[in-house]
Amino acid sequence: MENVHLAVEEDDLYSGYNEYDPTFDSEELENDVGFQQAVRTSHGRRPPMTAKFPGTAMGARPLASSFGSRMPLASSMGRPMTGAVQDGAARPMTAVRAAGYTSSLTRGSTFDPLGQSKGPAPPLEAKNEDTPEEKIKILEKKVNDLIEESCMAQSIGALQLALEKAKEAGRKERALVRQREQSGNADHINLDLTYSVLLNLANQYANNEMYPEALNSYQVIVKNKMFSNAGRLKVNMANIYFKQKNYPKAIKFYRMALDQISNTHKEMRIKIMQNIGVVFVRMGQYSDAITSFEHIMSESPNIRTGFNLILCYYAIGDRERMKKAFQKLISVPLGIDDEDKYIPTNDDTNSNMVIEAIKNDKLHQMERDLKVLAEKYIMTAAKLIAPAIETSFATGFDWCVDMVKSSQYVELANDLEINKAITYLRQKDFNQAVETLKTFEKKDSRVKSAAATNLSFLYFLEKDYDQADRYADLAMNADRYNPAALINKGNTVFVKQDYEKAAEFYKEALRNDSSCTEALYNLGLTYKRLNRLEEALDCFLKLHAILRNSAQVMYQLAHLYELLEDPQQAIEWLMQVISVTPTDPQALAKLGELHDGEGDKSQAFQYYYESFRYFPSNIDVIEWLGAYYIETQFCEKAIQYFERATLIQPTQVKWQLMVASCYRRSGNYQKALETYKDIHRKFPENVECLRFLVRLCTDMGLKEVQDYATKLKKVEKMKEIREQRVKSGREGSARGRREGREGSAGSVGISTPVLTSPKKSSIMDDVKAESKQLSPVLDSGRDSGHSSSSTKGERLSAKMRSLPGSNEPYETSSPKELDASYVDPLGPQMERPKTGAKRRVEDDDFADEELGDDLLPE
């Protein structure tokens, strides 16, 4: 201890290390006169002295100068002297010289302070994997890897792969146990690994809905007394029984698990009791469910249990307990921070950066989701119990609103009021709904905007477009970023046919909410009205990417491709429509029309026939099917379609004439005669009916031919008079207009025909239109051979041709002469009408094309 000196506080701990003899200062060698003289003289260049006779002690002694590296000097015993050189490196003489900076006698040696020139270190000794311990460790690692791979596969939804990995892990774990037993290490079996393998296998069986196998795996774990806390797995077994709808056994296992879980795990016990209550609800035992839920609400209240308790009270019809349960529900603490916490309140940059960072983090998102869920349950509960807790719906809703206003969910009160108005709408009480919504006009902007949006929607449905426009403006002024208000405003402009302005409102709604499908749909309709078909196509393609199974969107795409003259694409989209709605008669009829336009009659007939099966009252489809059977020489089958058309339009004589024509063509002249007589009784002034009555009676030698001939002449004379009147009226009208343009404004003689001619012209035009509609009915057999060379317009629907003159002889029909030369009463200029689906799209503005006015507040 006497050599130990304690440092004094004032002393420098590192003093004295830089104190050395200046003789050893290499930095001053250039200024050392003696050293420089020795270097310049021959004294410094003398060769080293060597021994003349080897083996003497002098033979290994080096020559040393006053400075520099020394040659090794060996003693007579061969032991190196102090400071001698060993292995080419001299021992440092002082502590001043830096570590590694040593002089060496060997010329050309490199600087290697770390000794890297000696080569890499020898490799580690390889482990012997043939030992039992190493084999067991490797197998354990493989089992753990398989469990991890199984869990990862299950997390990404690859349930089958997860099950395979779990099974493989089980096989390897059993092999591991056998190997331990063979090596005599049975006492060192890894129970945790066995538990993990069995539990993962049972979970994967349950995920793949292999419930019996999952239950067996859980039973293996539960019955093994070596596994601690395995009893809680009975909760998983109870969940499986619940999925199998074996509710009594589920309750049994839930209660067994509840008995094996101590009171220290309070949260776990609460969840199990909640499951027991839900099972009782499924079984219809509401009193037992109420007992479970009430216990939870007294121990650890939560939103979901409070809502379930209200449902149970509603099921048993207990008004007072419903009210108490609703009060408990709105008083459940959520345990989340106030939104004001995330609003920057000062100029502190650091705190503002922290607030910005946590504003949208996962914790805040979870808080928002919890609050949204709570509001959803409270709104649903209020709407459910409002009609039940009081004598009237309005009184019950007012009580719920008062309760909510005095709770932490004050902002929900206004939403409840709006829902009250919507409930009035569902009850068809529009006046009360409007009155309720009008009370929001003086409230804050958000609620005012929502109420005005709904009022605009209501007035729009009532076709009061001025009021709808006024409330749409009010909603926009209260909240310009409300997409529903912008859509309603666009709709009111749309019905006024100001499509450019409507498109601007829809675009603004999309800018405010890019996921607003109603705005995108309406924008596509607007572009279609503006004949900007490519832009409309883009809108509906975007909408289809969002709403994959919307039949309306797919139908609009089909119609746009039809307008773009791409029938194949239109057919493909319509095929997708009927895959979603296979019983839509309009889509089926449209498919038939497109196939008919492509010349595929068989496919067209198939789709038209399917359309007729689902909706047998479409006149266009009935006419096409009847014409198709006439064209294919099956007049008997066409009769049923024209008879149905007669039932649908009994005042249209053309369908009855078609029925009579089919009877005549099929050779049933007696039935044809009876049909013509019946038509004559209903329409005594029909010229075509009288002509064929005359011909049939003449051919059959009946006595009534003279009476019908007289009536025919009288009707034809009346027809000629009418035509002359129409002609003279038109000439007088044209002359009056021409003279009115040429004459002076004060001419009195010109004014009379101008005033009277419109009345005459309108009456005669109606008469002419009626006669033109009813004039051509049937074609005689002499034109039967011409049908094969007729144009597409004549073949389709058995196009109408003009009748032969009354003085031409009637030819008796033979099977060879009866062909598809059927005449359509609509006139030879008509082609087969389009189906109603197209007219619905083109003509109806808002009837079938939903403009998507959202009734719910934004």
Side-chain angles (χ1 to χ4, degrees), residues 813-845:
S813 301
S814 63
K816 182 179 179 181
E817 294 169 342
L818 291 174
D819 58 0
S821 56
Y822 182 80
V823 179
D824 191 333
L826 291 177
Q829 77 282 2
M830 296 288 290
E831 289 188 359
R832 181 172 55 81
K834 305 294 183 184
T835 60
K838 182 173 181 181
R839 290 200 303 273
R840 178 185 65 195
V841 175
E842 292 182 344
D843 301 333
D844 296 343
D845 291 343

mmCIF file of all heavy atoms in Angstrom, residues 813-845:
data_model
loop_
_atom_site.group_PDB
_atom_site.id
_atom_site.type_symbol
_atom_site.label_atom_id
_atom_site.label_comp_id
_atom_site.label_asym_id
_atom_site.label_seq_id
_atom_site.Cartn_x
_atom_site.Cartn_y
_atom_site.Cartn_z
ATOM 1 N N SER A 813 -107.212 -19.468 -100.807
ATOM 2 C CA SER A 813 -105.845 -19.683 -100.340
ATOM 3 C C SER A 813 -105.534 -21.161 -100.341
ATOM 4 O O SER A 813 -106.358 -22.005 -100.001
ATOM 5 C CB SER A 813 -105.669 -19.134 -98.923
ATOM 6 O OG SER A 813 -105.960 -17.766 -98.901
ATOM 7 N N SER A 814 -104.327 -21.466 -100.745
ATOM 8 C CA SER A 814 -103.803 -22.828 -100.672
ATOM 9 C C SER A 814 -102.549 -22.805 -99.814
ATOM 10 O O SER A 814 -101.972 -21.756 -99.588
ATOM 11 C CB SER A 814 -103.469 -23.344 -102.078
ATOM 12 O OG SER A 814 -102.439 -22.555 -102.643
ATOM 13 N N PRO A 815 -102.072 -23.972 -99.339
ATOM 14 C CA PRO A 815 -100.854 -23.971 -98.509
ATOM 15 C C PRO A 815 -99.669 -23.349 -99.209
ATOM 16 O O PRO A 815 -98.819 -22.759 -98.575
ATOM 17 C CB PRO A 815 -100.627 -25.465 -98.234
ATOM 18 C CG PRO A 815 -101.987 -26.065 -98.328
ATOM 19 C CD PRO A 815 -102.711 -25.279 -99.392
ATOM 20 N N LYS A 816 -99.608 -23.475 -100.513
ATOM 21 C CA LYS A 816 -98.491 -22.891 -101.235
ATOM 22 C C LYS A 816 -98.583 -21.378 -101.262
ATOM 23 O O LYS A 816 -97.590 -20.659 -101.243
ATOM 24 C CB LYS A 816 -98.457 -23.460 -102.654
ATOM 25 C CG LYS A 816 -97.293 -22.940 -103.486
ATOM 26 C CD LYS A 816 -97.311 -23.568 -104.846
ATOM 27 C CE LYS A 816 -96.145 -23.038 -105.697
ATOM 28 N NZ LYS A 816 -96.141 -23.615 -107.056
ATOM 29 N N GLU A 817 -99.840 -20.876 -101.308
ATOM 30 C CA GLU A 817 -100.014 -19.427 -101.451
ATOM 31 C C GLU A 817 -99.925 -18.707 -100.113
ATOM 32 O O GLU A 817 -99.636 -17.518 -100.067
ATOM 33 C CB GLU A 817 -101.376 -19.143 -102.096
ATOM 34 C CG GLU A 817 -101.446 -19.650 -103.527
ATOM 35 C CD GLU A 817 -102.867 -19.608 -104.060
ATOM 36 O OE1 GLU A 817 -103.792 -19.525 -103.223
ATOM 37 O OE2 GLU A 817 -103.049 -19.669 -105.271
ATOM 38 N N LEU A 818 -100.203 -19.392 -99.016
ATOM 39 C CA LEU A 818 -100.173 -18.735 -97.704
ATOM 40 C C LEU A 818 -98.738 -18.666 -97.218
ATOM 41 O O LEU A 818 -98.141 -19.666 -96.860
ATOM 42 C CB LEU A 818 -101.024 -19.520 -96.698
ATOM 43 C CG LEU A 818 -102.525 -19.461 -96.965
ATOM 44 C CD1 LEU A 818 -103.242 -20.379 -96.003
ATOM 45 C CD2 LEU A 818 -103.039 -18.057 -96.860
ATOM 46 N N ASP A 819 -98.178 -17.481 -97.203
ATOM 47 C CA ASP A 819 -96.804 -17.329 -96.781
ATOM 48 C C ASP A 819 -96.681 -16.125 -95.856
ATOM 49 O O ASP A 819 -97.658 -15.681 -95.280
ATOM 50 C CB ASP A 819 -95.876 -17.182 -98.009
ATOM 51 C CG ASP A 819 -96.279 -16.004 -98.866
ATOM 52 O OD1 ASP A 819 -97.261 -15.344 -98.493
ATOM 53 O OD2 ASP A 819 -95.609 -15.752 -99.878
ATOM 54 N N ALA A 820 -95.493 -15.611 -95.774
ATOM 55 C CA ALA A 820 -95.229 -14.520 -94.822
ATOM 56 C C ALA A 820 -95.526 -13.161 -95.403
ATOM 57 O O ALA A 820 -95.001 -12.168 -94.951
ATOM 58 C CB ALA A 820 -93.786 -14.577 -94.356
ATOM 59 N N SER A 821 -96.357 -13.101 -96.423
ATOM 60 C CA SER A 821 -96.662 -11.796 -97.014
ATOM 61 C C SER A 821 -97.755 -11.118 -96.211
ATOM 62 O O SER A 821 -98.774 -10.704 -96.736
ATOM 63 C CB SER A 821 -97.080 -11.966 -98.468
ATOM 64 O OG SER A 821 -98.174 -12.859 -98.545
ATOM 65 N N TYR A 822 -97.536 -11.063 -94.925
ATOM 66 C CA TYR A 822 -98.500 -10.457 -94.017
ATOM 67 C C TYR A 822 -98.298 -8.960 -93.990
ATOM 68 O O TYR A 822 -97.198 -8.464 -94.118
ATOM 69 C CB TYR A 822 -98.299 -11.053 -92.621
ATOM 70 C CG TYR A 822 -99.268 -10.550 -91.604
ATOM 71 C CD1 TYR A 822 -100.546 -11.058 -91.534
ATOM 72 C CD2 TYR A 822 -98.886 -9.560 -90.716
ATOM 73 C CE1 TYR A 822 -101.430 -10.594 -90.587
ATOM 74 C CE2 TYR A 822 -99.763 -9.109 -89.765
ATOM 75 C CZ TYR A 822 -101.034 -9.624 -89.702
ATOM 76 O OH TYR A 822 -101.907 -9.169 -88.764
ATOM 77 N N VAL A 823 -99.416 -8.254 -93.839
ATOM 78 C CA VAL A 823 -99.354 -6.796 -93.882
ATOM 79 C C VAL A 823 -99.593 -6.249 -92.480
ATOM 80 O O VAL A 823 -100.561 -6.596 -91.832
ATOM 81 C CB VAL A 823 -100.399 -6.242 -94.870
ATOM 82 C CG1 VAL A 823 -100.350 -4.723 -94.899
ATOM 83 C CG2 VAL A 823 -100.137 -6.802 -96.245
ATOM 84 N N ASP A 824 -98.673 -5.436 -92.033
ATOM 85 C CA ASP A 824 -98.777 -4.805 -90.712
ATOM 86 C C ASP A 824 -99.734 -3.624 -90.804
ATOM 87 O O ASP A 824 -99.553 -2.732 -91.631
ATOM 88 C CB ASP A 824 -97.394 -4.318 -90.281
ATOM 89 C CG ASP A 824 -97.378 -3.899 -88.832
ATOM 90 O OD1 ASP A 824 -98.429 -3.498 -88.296
ATOM 91 O OD2 ASP A 824 -96.293 -3.963 -88.245
ATOM 92 N N PRO A 825 -100.757 -3.579 -89.951
ATOM 93 C CA PRO A 825 -101.707 -2.448 -90.021
ATOM 94 C C PRO A 825 -101.072 -1.099 -89.732
ATOM 95 O O PRO A 825 -101.708 -0.080 -89.959
ATOM 96 C CB PRO A 825 -102.729 -2.808 -88.947
ATOM 97 C CG PRO A 825 -102.594 -4.268 -88.749
ATOM 98 C CD PRO A 825 -101.178 -4.598 -89.012
ATOM 99 N N LEU A 826 -99.849 -1.064 -89.207
ATOM 100 C CA LEU A 826 -99.246 0.235 -88.932
ATOM 101 C C LEU A 826 -98.826 0.957 -90.196
ATOM 102 O O LEU A 826 -98.447 2.103 -90.143
ATOM 103 C CB LEU A 826 -98.028 0.058 -88.023
ATOM 104 C CG LEU A 826 -98.353 -0.380 -86.590
ATOM 105 C CD1 LEU A 826 -97.068 -0.586 -85.816
ATOM 106 C CD2 LEU A 826 -99.219 0.630 -85.896
ATOM 107 N N GLY A 827 -98.810 0.274 -91.319
ATOM 108 C CA GLY A 827 -98.422 0.950 -92.550
ATOM 109 C C GLY A 827 -97.099 0.457 -93.070
ATOM 110 O O GLY A 827 -96.261 -0.009 -92.316
ATOM 111 N N PRO A 828 -96.874 0.504 -94.371
ATOM 112 C CA PRO A 828 -95.649 -0.052 -94.948
ATOM 113 C C PRO A 828 -94.395 0.708 -94.552
ATOM 114 O O PRO A 828 -93.307 0.199 -94.660
ATOM 115 C CB PRO A 828 -95.909 0.032 -96.443
ATOM 116 C CG PRO A 828 -96.926 1.114 -96.586
ATOM 117 C CD PRO A 828 -97.766 1.061 -95.365
ATOM 118 N N GLN A 829 -94.540 1.957 -94.066
ATOM 119 C CA GLN A 829 -93.346 2.727 -93.762
ATOM 120 C C GLN A 829 -92.776 2.390 -92.392
ATOM 121 O O GLN A 829 -91.699 2.831 -92.051
ATOM 122 C CB GLN A 829 -93.661 4.227 -93.823
ATOM 123 C CG GLN A 829 -94.411 4.779 -92.610
ATOM 124 C CD GLN A 829 -95.880 4.446 -92.641
ATOM 125 O OE1 GLN A 829 -96.340 3.766 -93.550
ATOM 126 N NE2 GLN A 829 -96.639 4.927 -91.660
ATOM 127 N N MET A 830 -93.514 1.625 -91.604
ATOM 128 C CA MET A 830 -93.084 1.357 -90.233
ATOM 129 C C MET A 830 -92.150 0.161 -90.205
ATOM 130 O O MET A 830 -92.358 -0.814 -90.900
ATOM 131 C CB MET A 830 -94.297 1.047 -89.342
ATOM 132 C CG MET A 830 -95.261 2.212 -89.207
ATOM 133 S SD MET A 830 -94.571 3.502 -88.205
ATOM 134 C CE MET A 830 -94.616 2.704 -86.638
ATOM 135 N N GLU A 831 -91.112 0.279 -89.368
ATOM 136 C CA GLU A 831 -90.306 -0.884 -89.027
ATOM 137 C C GLU A 831 -90.727 -1.361 -87.643
ATOM 138 O O GLU A 831 -91.508 -0.718 -86.960
ATOM 139 C CB GLU A 831 -88.817 -0.535 -89.024
ATOM 140 C CG GLU A 831 -88.261 -0.288 -90.405
ATOM 141 C CD GLU A 831 -86.761 -0.144 -90.368
ATOM 142 O OE1 GLU A 831 -86.201 -0.217 -89.263
ATOM 143 O OE2 GLU A 831 -86.174 0.043 -91.435
ATOM 144 N N ARG A 832 -90.198 -2.487 -87.239
ATOM 145 C CA ARG A 832 -90.564 -3.046 -85.939
ATOM 146 C C ARG A 832 -90.195 -2.053 -84.847
ATOM 147 O O ARG A 832 -89.084 -1.563 -84.795
ATOM 148 C CB ARG A 832 -89.842 -4.369 -85.713
ATOM 149 C CG ARG A 832 -90.187 -5.023 -84.395
ATOM 150 C CD ARG A 832 -89.606 -6.406 -84.325
ATOM 151 N NE ARG A 832 -88.178 -6.374 -84.573
ATOM 152 C CZ ARG A 832 -87.277 -6.060 -83.660
ATOM 153 N NH1 ARG A 832 -87.660 -5.752 -82.461
ATOM 154 N NH2 ARG A 832 -85.987 -6.061 -83.942
ATOM 155 N N PRO A 833 -91.127 -1.744 -83.970
ATOM 156 C CA PRO A 833 -90.853 -0.732 -82.946
ATOM 157 C C PRO A 833 -89.741 -1.176 -82.007
ATOM 158 O O PRO A 833 -89.492 -2.362 -81.824
ATOM 159 C CB PRO A 833 -92.188 -0.621 -82.190
ATOM 160 C CG PRO A 833 -93.188 -1.297 -83.045
ATOM 161 C CD PRO A 833 -92.462 -2.287 -83.880
ATOM 162 N N LYS A 834 -89.090 -0.179 -81.416
ATOM 163 C CA LYS A 834 -88.067 -0.461 -80.413
ATOM 164 C C LYS A 834 -88.735 -0.933 -79.130
ATOM 165 O O LYS A 834 -89.897 -0.632 -78.878
ATOM 166 C CB LYS A 834 -87.231 0.795 -80.115
ATOM 167 C CG LYS A 834 -86.608 1.408 -81.343
ATOM 168 C CD LYS A 834 -85.586 0.484 -81.949
ATOM 169 C CE LYS A 834 -84.913 1.144 -83.136
ATOM 170 N NZ LYS A 834 -83.981 0.256 -83.809
ATOM 171 N N THR A 835 -87.980 -1.641 -78.315
ATOM 172 C CA THR A 835 -88.533 -2.127 -77.066
ATOM 173 C C THR A 835 -88.654 -0.998 -76.069
ATOM 174 O O THR A 835 -88.014 0.041 -76.188
ATOM 175 C CB THR A 835 -87.626 -3.225 -76.471
ATOM 176 O OG1 THR A 835 -86.344 -2.663 -76.244
ATOM 177 C CG2 THR A 835 -87.504 -4.392 -77.411
ATOM 178 N N GLY A 836 -89.464 -1.266 -75.072
ATOM 179 C CA GLY A 836 -89.692 -0.224 -74.073
ATOM 180 C C GLY A 836 -88.466 0.153 -73.285
ATOM 181 O O GLY A 836 -88.398 1.215 -72.702
ATOM 182 N N ALA A 837 -87.476 -0.766 -73.259
ATOM 183 C CA ALA A 837 -86.274 -0.446 -72.477
ATOM 184 C C ALA A 837 -85.573 0.772 -73.014
ATOM 185 O O ALA A 837 -85.111 1.620 -72.295
ATOM 186 C CB ALA A 837 -85.328 -1.648 -72.482
ATOM 187 N N LYS A 838 -85.514 0.852 -74.354
ATOM 188 C CA LYS A 838 -84.823 2.003 -74.937
ATOM 189 C C LYS A 838 -85.601 3.276 -74.707
ATOM 190 O O LYS A 838 -85.060 4.321 -74.407
ATOM 191 C CB LYS A 838 -84.583 1.761 -76.417
ATOM 192 C CG LYS A 838 -83.819 2.898 -77.076
ATOM 193 C CD LYS A 838 -83.468 2.547 -78.488
ATOM 194 C CE LYS A 838 -82.682 3.680 -79.131
ATOM 195 N NZ LYS A 838 -82.326 3.410 -80.501
ATOM 196 N N ARG A 839 -86.934 3.164 -74.852
ATOM 197 C CA ARG A 839 -87.726 4.371 -74.612
ATOM 198 C C ARG A 839 -87.609 4.817 -73.163
ATOM 199 O O ARG A 839 -87.629 5.980 -72.862
ATOM 200 C CB ARG A 839 -89.186 4.110 -74.975
ATOM 201 C CG ARG A 839 -89.415 3.961 -76.460
ATOM 202 C CD ARG A 839 -90.873 4.200 -76.786
ATOM 203 N NE ARG A 839 -91.740 3.308 -76.048
ATOM 204 C CZ ARG A 839 -92.082 2.098 -76.447
ATOM 205 N NH1 ARG A 839 -91.617 1.615 -77.570
ATOM 206 N NH2 ARG A 839 -92.876 1.347 -75.728
ATOM 207 N N ARG A 840 -87.471 3.862 -72.260
ATOM 208 C CA ARG A 840 -87.312 4.244 -70.862
ATOM 209 C C ARG A 840 -86.055 5.053 -70.658
ATOM 210 O O ARG A 840 -86.014 6.022 -69.949
ATOM 211 C CB ARG A 840 -87.259 2.978 -69.989
ATOM 212 C CG ARG A 840 -87.055 3.281 -68.510
ATOM 213 C CD ARG A 840 -86.891 2.017 -67.726
ATOM 214 N NE ARG A 840 -85.673 1.349 -68.140
ATOM 215 C CZ ARG A 840 -85.377 0.095 -67.863
ATOM 216 N NH1 ARG A 840 -86.234 -0.640 -67.199
ATOM 217 N NH2 ARG A 840 -84.240 -0.443 -68.251
ATOM 218 N N VAL A 841 -85.001 4.647 -71.345
ATOM 219 C CA VAL A 841 -83.732 5.352 -71.186
ATOM 220 C C VAL A 841 -83.763 6.688 -71.891
ATOM 221 O O VAL A 841 -83.261 7.676 -71.412
ATOM 222 C CB VAL A 841 -82.577 4.482 -71.730
ATOM 223 C CG1 VAL A 841 -81.281 5.244 -71.675
ATOM 224 C CG2 VAL A 841 -82.470 3.213 -70.915
ATOM 225 N N GLU A 842 -84.400 6.720 -73.074
ATOM 226 C CA GLU A 842 -84.309 7.937 -73.874
ATOM 227 C C GLU A 842 -85.339 8.974 -73.468
ATOM 228 O O GLU A 842 -85.081 10.162 -73.495
ATOM 229 C CB GLU A 842 -84.497 7.586 -75.344
ATOM 230 C CG GLU A 842 -83.346 6.775 -75.917
ATOM 231 C CD GLU A 842 -83.548 6.478 -77.377
ATOM 232 O OE1 GLU A 842 -84.697 6.626 -77.831
ATOM 233 O OE2 GLU A 842 -82.592 6.117 -78.041
ATOM 234 N N ASP A 843 -86.570 8.498 -73.084
ATOM 235 C CA ASP A 843 -87.655 9.440 -72.931
ATOM 236 C C ASP A 843 -87.899 9.851 -71.486
ATOM 237 O O ASP A 843 -88.215 10.992 -71.201
ATOM 238 C CB ASP A 843 -88.947 8.833 -73.505
ATOM 239 C CG ASP A 843 -88.774 8.492 -74.975
ATOM 240 O OD1 ASP A 843 -87.944 9.147 -75.631
ATOM 241 O OD2 ASP A 843 -89.471 7.594 -75.450
ATOM 242 N N ASP A 844 -87.785 8.914 -70.573
ATOM 243 C CA ASP A 844 -88.088 9.237 -69.184
ATOM 244 C C ASP A 844 -86.892 9.898 -68.533
ATOM 245 O O ASP A 844 -85.827 9.313 -68.483
ATOM 246 C CB ASP A 844 -88.468 7.966 -68.423
ATOM 247 C CG ASP A 844 -89.746 7.367 -68.984
ATOM 248 O OD1 ASP A 844 -90.461 8.085 -69.695
ATOM 249 O OD2 ASP A 844 -90.000 6.206 -68.697
ATOM 250 N N ASP A 845 -87.112 11.081 -68.003
ATOM 251 C CA ASP A 845 -85.974 11.804 -67.436
ATOM 252 C C ASP A 845 -85.558 11.234 -66.101
ATOM 253 O O ASP A 845 -84.403 10.920 -65.875
ATOM 254 C CB ASP A 845 -86.344 13.282 -67.277
ATOM 255 C CG ASP A 845 -86.480 13.958 -68.620
ATOM 256 O OD1 ASP A 845 -85.993 13.410 -69.611
ATOM 257 O OD2 ASP A 845 -87.079 15.033 -68.647
#
